Amino acid sequence: MSEPTEDTPVLDLLVAMTADSVEASSLDLETVMLVRLAALVAVDAPPVSYLMNLEAAGEVGVDADMVAGVLAAVAPIVGTPRVVAASAGIAESLAFEIAVAVADLAEQSEE
């Protein structure tokens, strides 16, 4: 496990915990990310959790259809309100990501 820095001790801890859980799992990275998304739905996670995990999921090949598949798979267990809340959280996190990308492009064009 890596040592936390003074600037981001909580983020560093989360990164280390995630790395440890991936290492301890017998699942492939794609499946780990799908399971993590399902867990986020189950615990009614905030949009920032979706933002962090969807970015990582995309890096290992998880696409929008797979995310929709997770939502459909967990709906009978967690219920409609959780799936709707998760969908809103996912949409909010994607809107944030788009806003950041647009701001970055605007900044680059000003340079």
Side-chain angles (χ1 to χ4, degrees):
M1 188 153 58
S2 64
E3 292 297 316
T5 65
E6 289 183 25
D7 295 335
T8 58
V10 174
L11 179 59
D12 295 340
L13 176 62
L14 293 173
V15 168
M17 288 171 43
T18 298
D20 288 346
S21 73
V22 168
E23 186 177 315
S25 176
S26 62
L27 302 173
D28 62 89
L29 288 176
E30 186 178 276
T31 304
V32 167
M33 293 314 303
L34 293 172
V35 170
R36 288 176 64 92
L37 291 172
L40 292 175
V41 176
V43 299
D44 199 20
V48 69
S49 293
Y50 289 104
L51 178 64
M52 293 172 56
N53 284 279
L54 286 172
E55 185 173 330
E59 291 174 7
V60 298
V62 174
D63 62 21
D65 287 337
M66 296 169 89
V67 173
V70 167
L71 295 175
V74 301
I77 305 299
V78 300
T80 302
R82 288 278 166 98
V83 171
V84 170
S87 298
I90 290 167
E92 189 175 331
S93 71
L94 293 175
F96 176 79
E97 189 74 15
I98 291 168
V100 168
V102 168
D104 285 347
L105 286 173
E107 185 178 300
Q108 289 174 6
S109 67
E110 291 174 2
E111 294 176 351

